Amino acid sequence: MKSLLLLLLFTLNTSMLFSQTNGSNLTNYKEAKIWFDGTSLSDSKLDGDIYKKINGKFYKLDYIGNLYGNYFGTTSDDLQDDSDAIQKAINYAIKTSQNIIFPSGNYFISKTIVIPQHFHYSMKPIKIDFSNATLHVSKDITVFQSDNWGSKIDSKMSNGIVLSNFEIDFLNKGNSSYAIQLQDYHQGSKLENIAANNVKNLIHSKNNYYLELYNINSNYDGKAGKRYFFEGYHGLNKFSKLSAVNSEVCYSFEQGMIASVLMESISVEGCKVGINFSSEVYSFILQGSYIENFETAFVFQNYIHSANIDNNYFNFLNKKNINLLDYKGLPANNLRFGKGNHYIGTDYGNLIKNKENLYGKGIIFEIDNISADNKIKLQNNSGKNILLK
């Protein structure tokens, strides 16, 4: 009996030593021979978290369903830097086309998290879900950035990436970096349920089609930054339930063209410029939105082929020095302000900042129940390019 006891103790100690010396614990692992894609396992395919090799044998973490951040060493309940562990987890999730969930809590970030390109012919969605966690950022960095950022337009775009459910808290209020930078994101890609504190530059989107932004809220103490910067070509985008408070420019479209872009249920509050267009506008719709406390609500600096602005609430706060529209002397074809808009706190004398008499009547205002005096004020201050219905 004594010999058996000694043998058991020796076996236990040897097992513990084996685990310690190999830096691994096989709890929740099963022996495996096949990699995630069905090919045979080899040393080059090991990642040290999901797949391991111990004593000449391959092992795989035994899990069902989604990946979790803690499989890769992330922690949400202490003060340690989680940047590297989050990066490792996202790299693996994108590589294997699996959803990754980071448990709710607090994560501390000191490095940019790069999101690898994901191209899948089935457009399979990959969800990166932070479960309403707070990301505390200690440096002036971009928190999330696509790995092809700054490259030329890439025909092998990313599709199906859904980044969601987190709050960004910049510990240093003076940050100038964009919190999120995405390029060439296409079908099925979405950013949703994001909040930001002390972030003056929130999202920089470059050459994105079919990208959806949903329920993103931000605030900053002071009018600074471009809260949402859309650079290059944007088509078939849907942006809804976005807020931009206290910004130099709330939403800015620049250096490209926009086609079939829908914005709905957005807010502009405390911004010098609500929406700026230096891109050529082919088809743009704004509806169901709340715009208040602005200096100029819309600035168009390029050709306008079609824009429909209807069923929105504009509050001028009875200020005479603010304007609804400022545009350059370029053809403005079918720029329509529909009759569903509500203009509060204005006598209609300050809707248009500039007069334009060279081109046809391409800017249309449909206003019901306007008094004769206010109609004259609008017509006298708008030039010949305005058609009042």
Side-chain angles (χ1 to χ4, degrees), residues 347-349 369-381 388:
D347 62 1
Y348 297 92
N369 301 319
I370 183 172
S371 68
D373 289 343
N374 286 341
K375 184 176 181 179
I376 291 171
K377 288 178 182 178
L378 175 57
Q379 291 173 327
N380 288 342
N381 287 282
L388 181 61

Side-chain angles (χ1 to χ4, degrees), residues 275-292:
I275 306 178
N276 172 72
F277 300 88
S278 61
S279 296
E280 194 167 354
V281 179
Y282 281 87
S283 177
F284 172 78
I285 297 173
L286 176 71
Q287 62 186 24
S289 296
Y290 182 95
I291 301 177
E292 179 181 273

Side-chain angles (χ1 to χ4, degrees), residues 8-291:
L8 287 171
L9 286 171
F10 174 80
T11 303
L12 179 61
N13 288 334
T14 303
S15 175
M16 291 176 63
L17 180 62
F18 177 82
S19 176
Q20 292 169 0
T21 56
N22 285 272
S24 301
N25 189 326
L26 289 179
T27 303
N28 298 326
Y29 282 81
K30 287 186 176 181
E31 190 173 348
K33 296 182 179 180
I34 303 299
W35 202 30
F36 74 91
D37 63 355
T39 60
S40 298
L41 271 169
S42 63
D43 289 350
S44 63
K45 298 174 180 178
L46 302 178
D47 58 83
D49 296 298
I50 305 300
Y51 292 94
K52 298 182 179 183
K53 184 178 182 181
I54 298 177
N55 200 26
K57 293 183 179 181
F58 295 113
Y59 293 87
K60 177 183 180 296
L61 181 66
D62 186 25
Y63 69 93
I64 299 175
N66 299 314
L67 294 168
Y68 283 84
N70 53 290
Y71 296 170
F72 303 86
T74 64
T75 57
S76 59
D77 56 358
D78 60 20
L79 298 179
Q80 79 173 34
D81 190 336
D82 294 286
S83 305
D84 291 338
I86 292 174
Q87 183 69 75
K88 186 189 293 187
I90 290 177
N91 286 351
Y92 187 83
I94 298 296
K95 182 177 182 180
T96 59
S97 293
Q98 296 185 71
N99 297 333
I100 179 78
I101 297 174
F102 295 89
S104 183
N106 295 281
Y107 296 90
F108 291 84
I109 310 294
S110 65
K111 302 176 185 177
T112 296
I113 307 300
V114 175
I115 304 177
Q117 283 181 285
H118 177 259
F119 181 77
H120 202 285
Y121 285 107
S122 70
M123 300 180 191
K124 178 181 179 180
I126 304 301
K127 296 181 180 179
I128 304 171
D129 185 349
F130 279 88
S131 306
N132 296 322
T134 300
L135 310 181
H136 302 279
V137 186
S138 59
K139 297 181 179 179
D140 186 358
I141 59 171
T142 294
V143 183
F144 293 106
Q145 185 178 80
S146 55
D147 67 348
N148 61 332
W149 181 259
S151 66
K152 294 182 179 179
I153 295 177
D154 192 342
S155 59
K156 188 177 180 182
M157 77 295 287
S158 291
N159 57 40
I161 294 179
V162 180
L163 179 64
S164 64
N165 300 322
F166 58 87
E167 178 184 21
I168 297 174
D169 181 24
F170 273 110
L171 301 178
N172 178 11
K173 183 184 172 183
N175 294 316
S176 59
S177 299
Y178 275 92
I180 302 173
Q181 293 183 310
L182 301 177
Q183 177 174 326
D184 296 318
Y185 271 44
H186 292 260
Q187 286 92 336
S189 294
K190 185 175 184 180
L191 271 61
E192 64 179 354
N193 303 327
I194 298 170
N197 294 316
N198 296 328
V199 179
K200 59 185 177 182
N201 297 313
L202 179 54
I203 294 177
H204 187 174
S205 169
K206 185 185 294 185
N207 299 326
N208 291 315
Y209 291 82
Y210 293 98
L211 174 67
E212 184 174 354
L213 304 181
Y214 175 77
N215 194 31
I216 301 176
N217 302 294
S218 67
N219 198 354
Y220 188 80
D221 186 13
K223 293 184 180 181
K226 295 177 183 177
R227 200 59 46 82
Y228 300 88
F229 177 20
F230 304 101
E231 179 184 2
Y233 298 95
H234 282 80
L236 295 162
N237 300 137
K238 182 179 180 181
F239 306 141
S240 55
K241 295 189 71 175
L242 309 182
S243 75
V245 179
N246 298 334
S247 183
E248 184 80 18
V249 181
C250 289
Y251 309 90
S252 192
F253 295 87
E254 303 178 24
Q255 302 174 27
M257 76 172 191
I258 65 172
S260 299
V261 170
L262 169 64
M263 299 185 79
E264 61 181 359
S265 301
I266 70 164
S267 74
V268 170
E269 297 182 66
C271 298
K272 290 184 178 179
V273 175
I275 306 178
N276 172 72
F277 300 88
S278 61
S279 296
E280 194 167 354
V281 179
Y282 281 87
S283 177
F284 172 78
I285 297 173
L286 176 71
Q287 62 186 24
S289 296
Y290 182 95
I291 301 177

